[in-house]
Amino acid sequence: GYLNMLATAEANNVSVAVLISPHYFFNDVVNEQNIGINAGHFMNYNPNSPVARQILEDYVNQVVPLMAQYKSVGSICITNEPQLFVDTATDNFYLEPWREFLKETYGGDIGKLNNLWKTNYASFDECDFTDYKLNPVKNYDYKVFNDMALAEFHTWLADVVRKAAPG
């Protein structure tokens, strides 16, 4: 298996970059735990779900220490070609962070957001991703938030890996 390959690489003084592939989740787990997301082709689960994060943390804590004992492991790649397309219409895990992002972006002034988005929201609590592609400013805000969400997930996952294999 995989550990034999790392042992062979070590015996032959070969460095290996290991991809831990956290973007693969079994569909039955995603469905049972109700953590599915339409995130493009990268992952089928919501990376902001506490259940998904616990599963990933458990996985990393089981697998990474086994690999880390081999000198042949030159690096651990946490993801490959990641994508995330957050959709608050079906995603309660990102709805509140989205609204907080908007509050920060617009200095808590819903009037500024309404002026730029050409909307008439009474508060940030009404903001979702509906029709974001039709409005260039809302689309820009969405893309900035989406990129921040993906970066936050990777920061969290990298921290989990570092704790599992310090050094």
Side-chain angles (χ1 to χ4, degrees):
Y2 209 74
L3 297 179
N4 288 337
M5 184 269 307
L6 293 175
T8 301
E10 186 171 312
N12 291 287
N13 201 26
V14 173
S15 180
V16 178
V18 178
L19 173 61
I20 60 171
S21 303
H23 44 287
Y24 295 114
F25 256 71
F26 297 108
N27 285 330
D28 55 341
V29 173
V30 171
N31 294 332
E32 286 172 16
Q33 298 296 324
N34 196 28
I35 58 173
I37 187 173
N38 180 15
H41 301 290
F42 176 62
M43 65 179 91
N44 64 341
Y45 63 92
N46 187 312
N48 207 32
S49 159
V51 171
R53 289 197 177 200
Q54 187 60 58
I55 291 169
L56 285 172
E57 190 168 351
D58 291 347
Y59 166 72
V60 166
N61 287 331
Q62 289 294 314
V63 172
V64 169
L66 294 174
M67 294 184 304
Q69 62 188 323
Y70 292 93
K71 294 175 186 168
S72 59
V73 176
S75 65
I76 297 173
C77 181
I78 57 174
T79 62
N80 181 34
E81 300 180 12
Q83 299 176 14
L84 178 64
F85 303 101
V86 174
D87 177 9
T88 59
T90 60
D91 182 358
N92 291 325
F93 297 111
Y94 280 110
L95 185 56
E96 285 309 312
W98 164 246
R99 291 173 175 164
E100 287 302 314
F101 165 78
L102 293 174
K103 286 177 192 173
E104 288 178 26
T105 300
Y106 292 98
D109 186 346
I110 193 67
K112 281 183 183 178
L113 179 139
N114 282 329
N115 183 48
L116 290 169
W117 283 17
K118 309 294 186 230
T119 53
N120 197 21
Y121 294 124
S123 75
F124 288 98
D125 292 336
E126 296 177 23
C127 298
D128 63 17
F129 290 151
T130 306
D131 299 328
Y132 75 89
K133 291 181 181 178
L134 303 176
N135 180 312
V137 179
K138 189 175 185 179
N139 192 17
Y140 174 79
D141 288 342
Y142 164 80
K143 288 180 179 180
V144 170
F145 174 77
N146 195 71
D147 289 349
M148 289 173 54
L150 187 58
E152 185 281 327
F153 168 70
H154 282 90
T155 299
W156 170 82
L157 186 56
D159 288 345
V160 171
V161 169
R162 282 187 201 101
K163 287 178 190 168

